[in-house]
Amino acid sequence: MARAGHDRIPFVVASAPARGRNPPIAEMLRLVGAATADPGAADEDGSAANRLSLCLPPLAATPGSDSVGGVIGRTIQFRLAFTGLTYSVRATRRARPGGGVRLPLQNRCDRVTAAPDAHAARTRRVLLDGINGEARDGEVLAVMGASGSGKSTLIDALANRISRDSLKGDVTLNGEALTGNIIKSISSYVMQDDLLFPMLTVTETLSFAAEFRLPRALSPSKKRARVQALIDQLGLRPAANTIIGDEGHRGVSGGERRRVSIGTDIIHDPILLFLDEPTSGLDSTSAFMVVKVLRRIAESGSIVITSIHQPSQRILGLLDRLILLSGGRTVFSGRPSALPAYFAEFGYPVPDDENRAEFALDLIREYESSPTGTKPLVDFHRTWQRMHAASHDPSDDPWGPTLTLKEAISASISRGKLVSGSDVTGGAASMHANPLWGEIKVLTKRSAINTRRMPELFLIRLGAVVVTGAILATVFFRLDQSPKGAQERLGFFAFAMSTMFYICADALPVFLQERYIFLRETAYGAYRRGSYVLSNAIVSFPPLIVLSLAFAFTTFFAVGLAGGVSGFAFYTLAILASFWAGSGFVTFLSGVIPHVMIGYTVVVAILAYFLLFSGFFINRDSIPDYWIWFHYLSLVKYPFEGVLQNEFSHGGECFVRGTQMFDNSPLAVLPDAVKARVLASIGSALGVRIGTNTCVMTGRNVLRAAAVTQLGKWECLLVTAAWGFLFRLLFYFSLVLGSKNKRK
């Protein structure tokens, strides 16, 4: 049997039966406030008595002391218990060369222990199979196993991220089932990936998290103190003013980034903290520091449940409880210190110089590769649990809560936890700490800061607009009032209006980059989806104004468009409305299509169809009836018709005079004298006098020839702007329907 490598880092762990608890963040803030505030100073709102529980000392557990809800002299305790958790998904058949069927996402180590019904095994894949366990406040429960063993699935099940219709079994806190709103209010979930805005500093990132999760009634000074205390708790003081960074901007280290990610979800000191592999991708020292932070969070009175891939010996000593999974089944559950005795009784003693976690994983992998799978380990675990039921650590004895769930939550709030202001004790939880306008303000400020620190993104868009406008201005320079000039004006407007929409395609990756940040923050009620949509629109609008003015100034006067000041104003508004509609359209698609390259393909294709049916390439009256609906759905149609009316609806302009009517026809080669006699003959036949300077076609005739007669220019402008609002409304519904955080 292959042995795991030695853990060469020296490790010393105290064997004391219990660790001393660190004071909660609330008490830390009380001490900070006492050291920095003037004695007897009133709060910022002018009322010294109007203080929240954040600044209250911890409740005393002595007889006669007051508590929340009339409970006197009781100790706050939480116990999360889960029994019989079973979860399976439908498997897709895949043909293999050997003729068998392979389940998707199945690794070699997923060879499950026993062989259930053959037909069921081909149609359903069991990810969790009867998992039992518990976690208590002040403890860190770690779920360990190889890739594909079910670690993340178990964390999702405990965090209520799996639909209750699909998950079998019970998850209770203090003996009471957790409803969706309550668990969202008292818990946080830290995803495996670090989902942070790259251009915000550590302090700014945590400050915005505080704005979302802490109540509006809390004064700004107390929120700042909360953030500073959390920075110290996370060990981030040296990097407090460093940006998070990304591939193109140097920022904090990987371990610091992971701690910042954790900090954004524990700003309100939650009772339940779930983490999906927080040490993944970190070196041993950074991973150890992250787990030490989790240890301190637990000691402040929280329940910490985390999945972990392969902990070092030092990390293993920081854990209180451990669950080892293989193929969705439990092969060990208990104290990490019991691992040597467990495997010794199984017949595979852990060598003294061996990392216990690595030894366990190596042994599990070897059994997974054997014909019997891990069934011997699963069966031995059940036997071992029964054998040691009466002789295990007294702290593992069944524990009955001394407080009901609502009483315990209320008492925790009074000690400084859960200061998000959620009314979880009243039956219906208030999921948001701030009103709608407050969320919009914070979201707008955060996006503006992040965007302002990456000016190259806007400058590239501005450069594209100016270069495009300059090219159009030189190609269509000073168009005259002739049949050729009229036709060239039509081409200019068609290309200019469609360009506005194509330039908006660069907004596609914006939400795609923020999608998982949005999912993480809205999963536990940081803000409303409507707030995000409105904030997104507010932040994106000012740059559109600059782009519209830049394009209008570059092209209007150089091309020689008509209308003067009023014509220029409408032309600019039409460009702005096109940018607004195009930005909304692309934003909506980014909420529907999660892949950048697919999104670009769809955007380019649809915009090409919009241009085709806009009325420039084919007249509306010539479009087949079965395609006419696409003409009215074309986003390019309305601004195109609007600027055409702005150009051609003026009274005293003429685009075809006398002999100019023969231009672009075989008669254009005739001498002018012959053209004059032909005009006289036509006029005689019609009973009117037509000379060489007689106006034959005005601007209104051009509009009728282009079939631009149904809507006025202001109506076209309003319809274009309305498209922008409609697409942002559709974007909101795409977030509501497409941002579910639960597995089916």
Side-chain angles (χ1 to χ4, degrees):
M1 183 181 67
R3 299 296 187 189
H6 299 291
D7 190 340
R8 302 182 182 278
I9 302 176
F11 170 69
V12 178
V13 59
S15 58
R19 295 181 177 91
R21 291 183 181 271
N22 291 338
I25 295 181
E27 186 176 355
M28 296 170 61
L29 289 177
R30 181 179 63 83
L31 298 176
V32 172
T36 58
D38 295 333
D43 288 346
E44 290 186 3
D45 59 1
S47 173
N50 185 20
R51 294 189 176 97
L52 297 179
S53 59
L54 177 66
C55 298
L56 293 176
L59 292 178
T62 56
S65 61
D66 295 333
S67 182
V68 178
V71 182
I72 299 177
R74 291 185 180 181
T75 302
I76 301 172
Q77 288 181 314
F78 290 96
R79 176 177 178 264
L80 181 73
F82 46 97
T83 56
L85 293 185
T86 301
Y87 174 60
S88 61
V89 294
R90 186 177 298 278
T92 304
R93 296 172 182 261
R94 285 189 180 180
R96 291 191 293 174
V101 176
R102 179 182 175 86
L103 301 183
L105 305 179
Q106 183 177 16
N107 301 321
R108 281 195 211 169
C109 58
D110 289 335
R111 296 180 188 176
V112 186
T113 51
D117 177 70
H119 177 71
R122 289 194 299 268
T123 58
R124 304 290 297 182
R125 181 189 176 195
V126 178
L127 302 182
L128 297 177
D129 189 2
I131 307 297
N132 303 320
E134 70 170 34
R136 305 179 184 182
D137 63 306
E139 295 182 344
V140 178
L141 168 64
V143 183
M144 194 170 71
S147 298
S149 60
K151 302 187 301 295
S152 298
T153 304
L154 178 57
I155 298 295
D156 287 345
L158 298 178
N160 195 35
R161 293 168 66 89
I162 297 179
S163 172
R164 294 302 302 176
D165 296 333
S166 303
L167 179 67
K168 297 179 176 58
D170 298 315
V171 181
T172 61
L173 184 62
N174 284 19
E176 301 181 25
L178 288 172
T179 62
N181 283 345
I182 290 181
I183 194 171
K184 288 182 179 180
S185 298
I186 67 173
S187 66
S188 286
Y189 185 99
V190 181
M191 296 182 181
Q192 183 173 350
D193 298 323
D194 300 323
L195 307 173
L196 304 168
F197 285 92
M199 301 311 294
L200 299 182
T201 65
V202 171
T203 300
E204 289 171 341
T205 301
L206 296 177
S207 296
F208 283 119
E211 292 290 342
F212 291 131
R213 302 304 295 266
L214 301 184
R216 182 164 53 105
L218 198 63
S219 66
S221 62
K222 291 188 175 74
K223 290 182 180 179
R224 288 193 295 270
R226 182 70 171 226
V227 170
Q228 295 303 318
L230 184 58
I231 288 175
D232 290 331
Q233 186 186 25
L234 296 172
L236 293 170
R237 179 58 59 190
N241 296 318
T242 305
I243 63 170
I244 301 301
D246 56 12
E247 294 82 359
H249 303 85
R250 185 177 179 85
V252 298
S253 66
E256 290 169 336
R257 181 193 300 265
R258 188 61 49 86
R259 280 177 275 158
V260 174
S261 183
I262 295 173
T264 58
D265 286 305
I266 65 169
I267 189 69
H268 63 300
D269 204 11
I271 293 173
L272 297 174
L273 178 61
F274 303 97
L275 305 100
D276 186 11
E277 297 200 20
T279 62
S280 178
L282 301 180
D283 59 84
S284 60
T285 301
S286 298
F288 178 65
M289 294 181 66
V290 168
V291 178
K292 279 209 306 184
V293 169
L294 301 182
R295 174 76 259 161
R296 289 197 295 267
I297 295 171
E299 290 174 347
S300 69
S302 298
I303 299 176
V304 177
I305 303 176
T306 178
S307 60
I308 191 166
H309 184 64
Q310 192 163 341
S312 66
Q313 192 77 353
R314 294 194 301 169
I315 291 177
L316 202 62
L318 296 175
L319 308 178
D320 297 287
R321 296 177 186 270
L322 181 66
I323 295 179
L324 276 171
L325 297 180
S326 174
R329 296 187 178 185
T330 306
V331 296
F332 173 80
S333 177
R335 302 283 179 180
S337 58
L339 278 173
Y342 177 80
F343 285 107
E345 293 186 30
F346 183 64
Y348 290 89
V350 182
D352 294 337
D353 58 348
E354 192 88 10
N355 183 319
R356 290 170 288 172
E358 293 179 354
F359 177 88
L361 290 176
D362 285 347
L363 181 62
I364 292 172
R365 287 192 185 99
E366 292 199 9
Y367 268 97
E368 288 173 339
S369 302
S370 66
T372 60
T374 52
K375 186 177 186 302
L377 271 171
V378 174
D379 294 340
F380 175 74
H381 172 256
R382 294 171 182 163
T383 304
W384 188 79
Q385 289 280 61
R386 290 193 297 267
M387 289 173 53
H388 293 266
S391 60
H392 66 326
D393 192 330
S395 62
D396 287 333
D397 289 337
W399 173 82
T402 58
L403 296 173
T404 66
L405 180 57
K406 291 182 179 179
E407 291 173 343
I409 293 176
S410 298
S412 290
I413 293 175
S414 71
R415 292 169 63 97
K417 280 189 174 294
L418 236 105
V419 292
S420 59
S422 300
D423 184 20
V424 295
T425 62
S430 174
M431 284 303 302
H432 306 286
N434 298 296
L436 180 67
W437 65 266
E439 294 173 352
I440 295 174
K441 178 182 177 182
V442 177
L443 285 168
T444 302
K445 181 180 178 181
R446 183 177 69 174
S447 297
I449 292 175
N450 193 65
T451 303
R452 188 174 66 248
R453 291 177 181 170
M454 291 188 291
E456 61 274 11
L457 300 181
F458 173 73
L459 292 178
I460 290 174
R461 296 182 67 188
L462 181 60
V465 168
V466 172
V467 169
T468 303
I471 293 175
L472 290 176
T474 54
V475 171
F476 297 94
F477 186 74
R478 294 295 180 184
L479 298 179
D480 57 8
Q481 291 184 353
S482 65
K484 180 181 178 182
Q487 188 62 36
E488 289 175 345
R489 276 175 166 81
L490 293 176
F492 166 77
F493 286 128
F495 189 89
M497 293 301 105
S498 61
T499 298
M500 304 302 102
F501 293 92
Y502 279 106
I503 289 178
C504 290
D506 68 343
L508 184 68
V510 173
F511 176 70
L512 295 180
Q513 293 173 351
E514 299 180 8
R515 172 187 294 271
Y516 294 105
I517 299 178
F518 168 82
L519 291 175
R520 186 200 69 191
E521 292 178 335
T522 55
Y524 289 90
Y527 48 80
R528 300 167 179 84
R529 294 174 177 85
S531 301
Y532 181 85
V533 173
L534 293 174
S535 169
N536 178 274
I538 293 172
V539 172
S540 63
F541 190 73
L544 301 183
I545 298 177
V546 178
L547 297 177
S548 302
L549 289 172
F551 188 83
F553 275 111
T554 306
T555 58
F556 185 86
F557 301 103
V559 175
L561 302 181
V565 175
S566 61
F568 174 79
F570 182 87
Y571 178 68
T572 305
L573 290 176
I575 295 173
L576 178 60
S578 300
F579 272 128
W580 171 252
S583 175
F585 171 68
V586 174
T587 302
F588 162 65
L589 286 184
S590 70
V592 176
I593 304 173
H595 195 279
V596 176
M597 297 309 299
I598 296 177
Y600 275 126
T601 302
V602 173
V603 168
V604 171
I606 294 180
L607 290 181
Y609 302 148
F610 284 162
L611 179 60
L612 174 63
F613 290 100
S614 64
F616 171 70
F617 292 102
I618 182 171
N619 194 288
R620 183 189 69 230
D621 299 333
S622 302
I623 298 177
D625 292 339
Y626 49 83
W627 281 120
I628 194 65
W629 58 272
F630 212 122
H631 170 73
Y632 292 102
L633 291 179
S634 172
L635 297 182
V636 182
K637 160 188 164 62
Y638 299 99
F640 174 63
E641 292 186 356
V643 292
L644 285 183
Q645 294 192 58
N646 186 58
E647 181 69 17
F648 292 109
S649 62
H650 303 285
E653 297 182 354
C654 183
F655 290 90
V656 179
R657 292 182 180 275
T659 56
Q660 288 181 336
M661 66 183 298
F662 300 115
D663 294 351
N664 300 322
S665 72
L667 299 179
V669 298
L670 295 175
D672 290 342
V674 175
K675 291 179 182 179
R677 289 196 298 270
V678 173
L679 286 177
S681 300
I682 294 175
S684 176
L686 295 176
V688 296
R689 183 177 182 278
I690 302 177
T692 56
N693 292 323
T694 302
C695 183
V696 178
M697 179 176 288
T698 64
R700 298 186 186 277
N701 298 128
V702 175
L703 294 178
R704 282 194 293 270
V708 182
T709 56
Q710 291 182 332
L711 298 175
K713 68 176 185 178
W714 292 105
E715 292 173 327
C716 290
L717 182 67
L718 292 176
V719 171
T720 305
W723 275 118
F725 287 103
L726 175 62
F727 281 121
R728 280 168 173 80
L729 181 62
L730 295 177
F731 176 54
Y732 168 76
F733 286 115
S734 73
L735 297 184
V736 173
L737 299 176
S739 60
K740 303 298 183 182
N741 292 281
K742 290 188 177 183
R743 305 190 195 182
K744 295 297 184 181

